[in-house]
Amino acid sequence: MFEDFIATDRWTKKPVHCIYQALIVAIATRHADAVDIKFLVDGKTVWVALPHPAWVEYKKRTGRLITDSLAVEIAGHYLKAALEAGEGMGREMYSLTVEETLAHLETAVAAMQALASA
């Protein structure tokens, strides 16, 4: 759902094509342990960093795991929201907090469930 999507840039009102490209587990490369998810946004590289502690917190709260495919959905949902809120076209990296990650997880899962039941 959020691996290949169109967002509308808030400021230009132009459609922006976003495509998931890679997922890399980054350990202390930026002094932040995270899962970095790479997208091409109209051909330009953009990274969304999801903090490792979000995996632990989600498991503690729900007993379930964040899979790689779910991480891509979380990052894609966040990226779409950021672009549509006007937080975006010049940025190369977005770093989320644990709470932001979990909030986007819940919203992305709800959107996928709504699509599946439609």
Side-chain angles (χ1 to χ4, degrees):
M1 180 170 192
F2 292 104
E3 289 184 15
D4 185 345
F5 61 91
I6 302 290
T8 301
D9 180 77
R10 178 179 181 177
W11 304 116
T12 65
K13 306 297 185 216
K14 292 182 181 177
V16 180
H17 189 196
C18 303
I19 303 170
Y20 159 73
Q21 194 171 41
L23 181 145
I24 298 171
V25 177
I27 306 291
T29 57
R30 296 176 321 280
H31 302 288
D33 293 344
V35 173
D36 292 347
I37 301 170
K38 180 182 178 186
F39 286 87
L40 292 179
V41 178
D42 275 352
K44 296 178 184 167
T45 298
V46 174
W47 294 90
V48 178
L50 306 178
H52 285 165
W55 271 249
V56 175
E57 185 61 28
Y58 185 69
K59 173 78 171 168
K60 187 167 65 172
R61 290 182 188 183
T62 68
R64 291 179 274 171
L65 299 174
I66 297 175
T67 62
D68 288 354
S69 60
L70 182 54
V72 171
E73 295 296 326
I74 296 164
H77 182 271
Y78 171 81
L79 182 58
K80 183 173 183 174
L83 293 169
E84 291 179 348
E87 297 177 19
M89 288 302 288
R91 293 182 66 178
E92 293 178 7
M93 172 70 79
Y94 295 89
S95 294
L96 280 67
T97 66
V98 170
E99 289 306 318
E100 287 173 324
T101 300
L102 297 177
H104 283 280
L105 180 156
E106 290 176 18
T107 307
V109 167
M112 291 184 292
Q113 289 172 340
L115 186 62
S117 65

